[in-house]
Amino acid sequence: MKSVLEVKSLYVDLPLPAGMLHAVRNVSFHVNQGETVSLVGESGCGKSMTALAVMNLLPRKGVRRAEVLSFEGRDLMKIDDSKMADIRGNKMAMIFQEPMTSLDPCYTIGNQLEEAILQHRKVSTAEARDRAVFLLEKVGITAAESRLKQYPHQLSGGLRQRVMIAMGLMCGPSLIIADEPTTALDVTIQAQILSLLASLQQEFEMGLILITHDLGVVSRTADRLAVMYCGEVVETGTTEEVFDNPIHPYTRGLMDCIPVPGKTKPGEKLGSIPGMVPTPIGELTGCSFRNRCPSASPDCARTETRLIEISPGRAYRCLLSPEACAVEWNRA
Amino acid sequence: MIVYTLKRLGLAALVAITVSIISFMLIRLSGDPAIALAGENATSEQIEFIRIQYGFDRPLVIQYLDWAHRALQADFGESPYFQQPVTRIIGDRIGVTLKLGVMSLIFAVAVSIPMGVLASIRPNTWIDRIALSISVMGQAMPSFWFGLIMIIVLGVWLRLLPISGTDSFAHYIMPTIALGYYGIPAFMRLTRSGMLEVLSSDHIRTARAKGLRWGKVLFKHALRNAIIPVVALAAVQLGFMLGGSIVIESVFALHGIGYLAWESIGRRDLPVVQAIVLLLSMIFVALTLLSDIINAFLDPRIRVK
Ligand SMILES: Nc1ncnc2c1ncn2[C@@H]1O[C@H](COP(=O)(O)OP(=O)(O)OP(=O)(O)O)[C@@H](O)[C@H]1O
Ligand SMILES: [Mg+2]
């Protein structure tokens, strides 16, 4: 299968008044054509930063570095800003977490949709319009023609997110990054948007990076996933592997937080992970999960953790062996 | 949009009526107008004669309605000092003031908006510092003092520009700078802070994610959003400038209505003062209305429901 995106040892640093924030640390993953890869983790673990680093849209002063950051064989660390702008919105599109504020209030939906294709393709405005109508219908918006003349404030959040998806598809990208596309929406609309994304991805054979903190969503849509904690990947593998056989205590903790049909009995208490994600500012040593980990030992503060590969594409980050992880978890 | 415009128009009319009542009352409250008109050595018969001649003996409401009715037909009576219709006196001079006001506004906008944009895309750099210093200086310096400094440096020492009068375009340069500079700090700060806010907003990130070029992101998406509050401020600021023109016109001896107002106050030429107060207020009301309408064009959230 053709690889679309290859990320190896990605770091993102952000200077803050309190010190240097290491928002993303040594993150590696890849996305193949037509494949959905999920980045999962709690709020603040660096998912958005990872995505923004790939798009080269980091906040001012944010710095990224990586051993490999290549998109369709092109080294994104080396190409200049205007070449990167040629890729953005064209070959690589992003859908954001905040549909309410992600559209420009001063321009019509039509204007903003057409703009995306006029920037990259030599098409007439009429052709751009047709494309916009076609995609608005594709994302399930009725009366697409008349929507073009509407302004963002006239649309609901769900509709705006559909518009954002249509906008991402304008140039037929080979990779879509969806950063928590449903977090801001009603539960009923969440499911619609997600299945829409999945079906579009199948239809257009795009790679999809689905960022979420909802493991339920991951289990339904992702082929592979990377669990992130405090800027690092702590476990990765195919969705099946990770769900059937989670290794890292953090992954296990996350799994305990979601009800499983057939397994979770009515009235049974769901798990939760005590404590909060530490902010990775300044010098960092040892395992970042140790303060919340039920299996932590004094070693965890002293020894650097490494991502240990147990089979191709399957890895976890812990000092303990997979078996020891399981034993410790069941004891706790 | 039509409903919005009508609403604003109604509001403007209400404000205009209120302002006209206030400017009518101001003169009545500043002492007995008949005594003021008659002069210091007048006998009580003379005062009484003037009172009846000018209709000051009638009830206030009637006086106001009569005055307003005539004002609507651009009839503000006769100036006792000039022995001429007030409308003609003002008509002769308003051109100078409007020219000065419009040129100052253009100058202020042309300087402050590009500077505000530059400062916002390079915050905390030397460009930003320069912009900030210019705006702080503008706020700290009284405009008459700045005008005098310019007269000394550009007019007297360097002999580059004429220091008074209205004969040529060159005569307007220093007054325009002095008056325009007065508006720069507010415009620039609002542009800078507005741009900074918009540039870090989500929809700018979307625009960049589309692969749009920097210029397009900056001017099509960022400035368009940031300029909306600036337009609202422009009306208020131009109002201040009209007020400021009284000072500037005096400093540079420009014979506009500002200078006229200042002289007429000294001469107790009440009909002229009253007409100027009313005129300036009406210009201000009209500008506010204009900026509301421009804003509705710029901001679809106002225009379309
Ligand atoms: N503009 C910013 N300025 C300073 N710190 C930031 C900024 N954006 C993010 N951070 C910090 O960077 C870290 C990673 O943030 P990121 O947005 O990638 O998290 P996330 O996983 O996307 O979380 P969420 O689920 O809340 O979106 C967090 O500690 C966050 O506080
Ligand atoms: Mg995020």
Side-chain angles (χ1 to χ4, degrees):
Chain A
M1 222 189 294
K2 215 175 84 194
S3 164
V4 182
L5 181 73
E6 178 86 41
V7 179
K8 203 168 160 205
S9 291
L10 173 72
Y11 290 82
V12 175
D13 290 340
L14 201 63
L16 293 181
M20 187 62 86
L21 174 73
H22 306 284
V24 176
R25 294 180 287 148
N26 200 5
V27 164
S28 307
F29 64 96
H30 68 278
V31 185
N32 291 329
Q33 191 184 0
E35 188 186 39
T36 302
V37 175
S38 203
L39 300 182
V40 210
E42 275 166 288
S43 192
C45 68
K47 307 181 296 287
S48 298
M49 285 292 170
T50 306
L52 292 173
V54 171
M55 295 284 287
N56 198 12
L57 287 178
L58 286 173
R60 203 193 283 273
K61 289 192 182 153
V63 185
R64 60 173 193 181
R65 72 202 135 85
E67 227 165 80
V68 180
L69 182 60
S70 81
F71 175 74
E72 295 188 317
R74 298 170 76 184
D75 185 349
L76 296 187
M77 294 304 289
K78 294 235 170 70
I79 65 174
D80 61 30
D81 283 354
S82 87
K83 291 257 168 52
M84 188 63 214
D86 285 339
I87 294 178
R88 275 201 299 258
N90 183 11
K91 296 269 143 211
M92 189 197 278
M94 184 156 174
I95 297 157
F96 296 97
Q97 207 164 339
E98 307 86 4
M100 299 312 281
T101 49
S102 287
L103 289 161
D104 188 331
C106 286
Y107 295 94
T108 59
I109 303 303
N111 184 317
Q112 297 185 59
L113 282 168
E114 287 156 23
E115 184 181 55
I117 192 165
L118 291 171
Q119 174 69 40
H120 299 289
R121 299 286 146 79
K122 287 200 164 45
V123 294
S124 67
T125 35
E127 286 168 315
R129 231 185 87 132
D130 290 346
R131 174 84 181 155
V133 172
F134 169 75
L135 283 171
L136 283 183
E137 280 166 0
K138 261 262 167 300
V139 298
I141 291 182
T142 52
E145 195 95 22
S146 65
R147 296 281 183 194
L148 291 183
K149 289 192 221 67
Q150 290 194 304
Y151 288 91
H153 72 272
Q154 297 172 285
L155 306 183
S156 68
L159 279 182
R160 286 188 217 185
Q161 197 60 300
R162 284 173 198 265
V163 170
M164 287 298 292
I165 294 173
M167 192 183 283
L169 296 174
M170 282 301 278
C171 291
S174 42
L175 177 69
I176 288 231
I177 303 177
D179 186 358
E180 308 203 30
T182 59
T183 307
L185 303 176
D186 286 347
V187 187
T188 45
I189 297 167
Q190 287 184 3
Q192 292 173 10
I193 296 279
L194 284 169
S195 61
L196 171 69
L197 261 179
S199 74
L200 290 169
Q201 182 230 3
Q202 296 272 308
E203 185 176 343
F204 297 115
E205 290 230 300
M206 301 174 292
L208 173 65
I209 299 179
L210 183 65
I211 296 177
T212 178
H213 54 245
D214 184 344
L215 276 179
V217 168
V218 179
S219 70
R220 268 175 275 131
T221 44
D223 297 304
R224 288 185 293 111
L225 72 138
V227 180
M228 290 185 67
Y229 186 80
C230 201
E232 292 176 311
V233 172
V234 294
E235 181 158 0
T236 175
T238 65
T239 308
E240 251 186 346
E241 285 169 340
V242 177
F243 274 78
D244 289 351
N245 188 15
I247 301 171
H248 196 280
Y250 180 59
T251 316
R252 290 170 187 272
L254 282 183
M255 301 250 175
D256 269 7
C257 300
I258 52 165
V260 185
K263 260 198 204 157
T264 314
K265 292 171 196 68
E268 185 183 336
K269 233 179 141 195
L270 290 173
S272 65
I273 309 174
M276 298 240 298
V277 190
T279 311
I281 289 184
E283 286 292 317
L284 303 162
T285 47
C287 171
S288 22
F289 188 57
R290 63 175 188 273
N291 294 330
R292 298 169 73 187
C293 182
S295 330
S297 69
D299 261 358
C300 298
R302 290 191 292 265
T303 321
E304 286 315 310
T305 52
R306 289 183 309 115
L307 207 55
I308 299 163
E309 192 160 35
I310 48 175
S311 62
R314 179 89 178 100
Y316 73 107
R317 183 188 293 275
C318 187
L319 296 179
L320 300 174
S321 68
E323 296 76 29
C325 277
V327 172
E328 282 287 332
W329 181 259
N330 290 330
R331 206 165 47 100
Chain B
M1 180 70 198
I2 293 169
V3 176
Y4 172 82
T5 310
L6 287 178
K7 259 190 203 159
R8 291 285 133 175
L9 213 69
L11 209 63
L14 277 180
V15 174
I17 291 171
T18 315
V19 164
S20 74
I21 293 176
I22 292 172
S23 69
F24 172 79
M25 288 307 291
L26 269 181
I27 304 296
R28 313 287 136 158
L29 291 178
S30 62
D32 187 336
I35 298 177
L37 276 176
E40 277 172 24
N41 304 319
T43 61
S44 56
E45 284 86 50
Q46 282 172 320
I47 293 175
E48 203 51 40
F49 177 73
I50 285 177
R51 198 188 304 281
I52 291 166
Q53 190 196 1
Y54 282 85
F56 294 144
D57 54 338
R58 297 169 301 167
L60 269 183
V61 180
I62 304 290
Q63 285 187 51
Y64 169 73
L65 288 177
D66 182 41
W67 174 80
H69 178 71
R70 280 188 286 124
L72 278 177
Q73 294 156 323
D75 174 8
F76 293 97
E78 207 165 78
S79 153
Y81 177 83
F82 290 97
Q83 305 282 332
Q84 270 180 7
V86 171
T87 311
R88 170 129 46 93
I89 302 167
I90 290 180
D92 287 345
R93 290 165 173 77
I94 185 103
V96 172
T97 301
L98 287 183
K99 221 176 187 173
L100 178 63
V102 170
M103 282 186 6
S104 303
L105 187 70
I106 292 174
F107 171 72
V109 167
V111 172
S112 56
I113 292 188
M115 237 169 30
V117 170
L118 274 178
S120 75
I121 55 179
R122 297 266 177 278
N124 306 319
T125 58
W126 60 272
I127 287 187
D128 194 13
R129 301 265 153 66
I130 289 178
L132 185 72
S133 324
I134 290 177
S135 106
V136 167
M137 258 161 49
Q139 253 167 356
M141 265 189 317
S143 55
F144 76 88
W145 187 77
F146 182 49
L148 290 174
I149 297 287
M150 271 200 293
I151 289 179
I152 293 173
V153 176
L154 297 177
V156 179
W157 291 354
L158 302 174
R159 296 188 180 278
L160 285 175
L161 291 167
I163 57 170
S164 73
T166 48
D167 301 335
S168 70
F169 177 74
H171 286 87
Y172 281 97
I173 294 180
M174 281 200 285
T176 297
I177 295 176
L179 189 54
Y181 195 19
Y182 186 62
I184 287 177
F187 281 133
M188 200 180 65
R189 292 227 176 138
L190 200 62
T191 308
R192 179 184 180 273
S193 63
M195 281 295 283
L196 274 178
E197 194 186 317
V198 174
L199 281 174
S200 62
S201 71
D202 292 336
H203 68 82
I204 291 301
R205 195 180 53 189
T206 307
R208 297 223 291 138
K210 275 192 249 186
L212 297 186
R213 295 301 130 141
W214 189 224
K216 199 150 200 196
V217 173
L218 203 60
F219 292 108
K220 181 177 173 186
H221 292 286
L223 192 56
R224 169 69 181 266
N225 279 278
I227 210 76
I228 292 170
V230 177
V231 171
L233 177 79
V236 180
Q237 208 59 32
L238 196 71
F240 281 133
M241 283 189 187
L242 285 175
S245 75
I246 296 182
V247 174
I248 295 297
E249 283 177 17
S250 314
V251 170
F252 290 95
L254 300 183
H255 290 275
I257 57 170
Y259 194 35
L260 176 68
W262 185 66
E263 284 182 318
S264 301
I265 292 169
R267 296 174 194 134
R268 309 220 75 190
D269 192 347
L270 296 182
V272 173
V273 175
Q274 197 173 38
I276 292 176
V277 169
L278 189 67
L279 185 66
L280 290 184
S281 318
M282 289 307 147
I283 292 177
F284 187 61
V285 172
L287 286 171
T288 312
L289 180 67
L290 186 68
S291 87
D292 279 345
I293 291 173
I294 295 178
N295 254 344
F297 267 108
L298 289 174
D299 189 348
R301 283 163 296 185
I302 302 176
R303 185 166 18 107
V304 244
K305 280 275 126 41

